Amino acid sequence: MVRLPKIHIKVPGTSANLGPGFDLMGLALDLHNEFEFQFSKEITETKTELKNGQTLPFSKKEDLVEQSYKSYFAKFAPNITPPPYHCKMTLSLPLKGGLGSSASAIVAGLCLAREVHKRLDVVSLPTEPIFTQFLAEFEGHPDNTLPAYLGGFVFAYSTFGEKLRFFRKKFPSSVAIFVLTPEFFVSTEESRKTLPKSYVTSDVIFNLSRIGAWMHFLDKRRFGDLLVGLEDKMHTPYRIPSTSPLFPLADTLKQDSIGYCLSGSGPSLLIFLERKTVSSKQKELFETVTKIMGDAGIRFSLRRVKPDGVGVRIQTK
């Protein structure tokens, strides 16, 4: 057996859609899940646990790290039996919180498999374009997995089985980002069921224009362009309807000209302030969020975050 090193993989959280870019746009954030993998001849079956000793928040059947790890070998080295490992996880991303916890597991599993594959020297490695294509297609949402892998703002698409296309941009430092995570969970699959099967042409044109505003913001870095770019008619109105506990907050933020978007399918929200106004507006923002969430009886966390411009980090020992 080839001796394999300890492999440490750190994956940033992500926020997908970013308003109008449904299944197209995503941003990596400096919130991370970390995975430590150990191999030895004494390890005969894969075992996963939390580093803090608490109970895993998912079953073995739901372990996306193991699923993606094995899927890599089935795709790129089908004659190789994937070596079992022991994994210790440190999870900072909430499950079903809309911050890319699933994408972090997929990226970790696929990158782990490639690191192991490098050392087996049996079958040639997939090229980077082939690897990123598989990475994007594994979950079906490249707006999550690509930012987690590459870092930064990523616009990515691969429809009807075509070649993956994407570009990456640095998110402007002139804007401050806050993440609000209410303490309730949203299933992406269930959330997608709330979306219509078709859209009127005017709503499609509306979203296309807002994606254009996003690109202008990334180029010119004007906060007003971001406020326009965050508007959306294709998924946010269906995921934050008037009956949602998040609706009063979203409505207040809009009236106060504070940028916001649902993070993925939610329930987390990204909230944007012009950086130069943070000192004067941050206290009021926290008070507003605290009151509205308190009135709804919802516990939450609200913290300032930065974009992650690096993406996945891999260390071997």
Side-chain angles (χ1 to χ4, degrees):
M1 176 182 175
V2 176
R3 184 180 180 278
L4 296 171
K6 291 182 179 179
I7 301 175
H8 180 271
I9 300 179
K10 184 176 181 180
V11 189
T14 53
S15 181
N17 302 326
L18 301 176
F22 184 58
D23 281 357
L24 297 172
M25 303 193 314
L27 178 67
L29 304 171
D30 68 341
L31 305 168
H32 301 85
N33 280 348
E34 298 187 48
F35 309 84
E36 297 178 4
F37 300 95
Q38 184 172 353
F39 299 86
S40 72
K41 62 181 180 181
E42 288 78 25
I43 295 175
T44 58
E45 62 179 0
T46 293
K47 178 182 177 182
T48 300
E49 59 187 352
L50 294 183
K51 194 170 183 179
N52 61 14
Q54 295 181 359
T55 303
L56 282 171
F58 52 82
S59 67
K60 185 174 179 62
K61 290 183 179 180
E62 298 170 315
D63 188 342
L64 289 174
V65 175
E66 184 175 0
Q67 289 178 29
S68 55
Y69 176 73
K70 291 181 177 178
S71 294
Y72 173 98
F73 282 97
K75 175 71 173 180
F76 300 117
N79 295 325
I80 297 176
T81 300
Y85 58 77
H86 283 181
C87 173
K88 292 187 177 181
M89 299 180 174
T90 302
L91 304 180
S92 299
L93 303 174
L95 267 68
K96 299 181 181 179
L99 291 170
S101 61
S102 295
S104 75
I106 291 167
V107 170
L110 293 180
C111 287
L112 171 68
R114 185 170 60 174
E115 288 297 311
V116 172
H117 189 183
K118 286 179 184 177
R119 291 163 174 80
L120 297 180
D121 194 28
V122 177
V123 183
S124 60
L125 293 170
T127 63
E128 184 67 6
I130 291 175
F131 180 78
T132 53
Q133 182 88 33
F134 187 68
L135 176 69
E137 292 175 348
F138 190 91
E139 187 187 34
H141 309 301
D143 53 343
N144 264 324
T145 50
L146 264 292
Y149 179 61
L150 299 170
F153 170 96
V154 176
F155 187 102
Y157 62 95
S158 177
T159 56
F160 307 110
E162 67 183 1
K163 175 184 174 183
L164 174 69
R165 293 175 172 84
F166 64 89
F167 64 83
R168 180 176 173 274
K169 294 273 190 178
K170 181 179 179 181
F171 188 85
S173 59
S174 58
V175 173
I177 305 173
F178 297 82
V179 173
L180 166 68
T181 301
E183 289 192 6
F184 61 86
F185 303 106
V186 172
S187 162
T188 299
E189 292 76 15
E190 291 301 315
S191 181
R192 279 183 174 264
K193 293 178 182 178
T194 67
L195 304 179
K197 294 183 179 179
S198 62
Y199 295 91
V200 297
T201 302
S202 59
D203 285 352
V204 175
I205 294 173
F206 181 94
N207 270 44
L208 290 173
S209 69
R210 270 49 186 182
I211 290 175
W214 251 104
M215 299 306 133
H216 203 247
F217 160 68
L218 292 171
D219 182 32
K220 300 299 182 182
R221 307 188 176 194
R222 290 197 288 258
F223 190 70
D225 292 328
L226 176 61
L227 291 179
V228 175
L230 289 166
E231 295 174 343
D232 165 53
K233 287 192 175 183
M234 295 186 71
H235 82 103
T236 306
Y238 303 98
R239 287 170 161 168
I240 310 181
S242 59
T243 55
S244 168
L246 294 177
F247 183 83
L249 176 60
D251 190 51
T252 298
L253 294 174
K254 183 176 181 179
Q255 292 180 30
D256 291 344
S257 296
I258 295 174
Y260 79 93
C261 65
L262 197 62
S263 185
S265 58
S268 294
L269 293 180
L270 292 194
I271 300 174
F272 302 88
L273 291 178
E274 197 168 8
R275 188 175 178 180
K276 64 183 181 182
T277 69
V278 168
S279 59
S280 60
K281 290 187 175 182
Q282 180 172 323
K283 181 180 178 182
E284 182 181 351
L285 171 63
F286 274 67
E287 290 173 349
T288 297
V289 171
T290 299
K291 182 180 187 310
I292 294 175
M293 292 289 99
D295 290 345
I298 299 173
R299 298 177 65 182
F300 68 93
S301 66
L302 178 61
R303 49 187 164 175
R304 185 172 176 178
V305 299
K306 295 179 180 179
D308 181 293
V310 177
V312 66
R313 299 153 172 86
I314 303 171
Q315 292 181 326
T316 59
K317 296 180 182 180

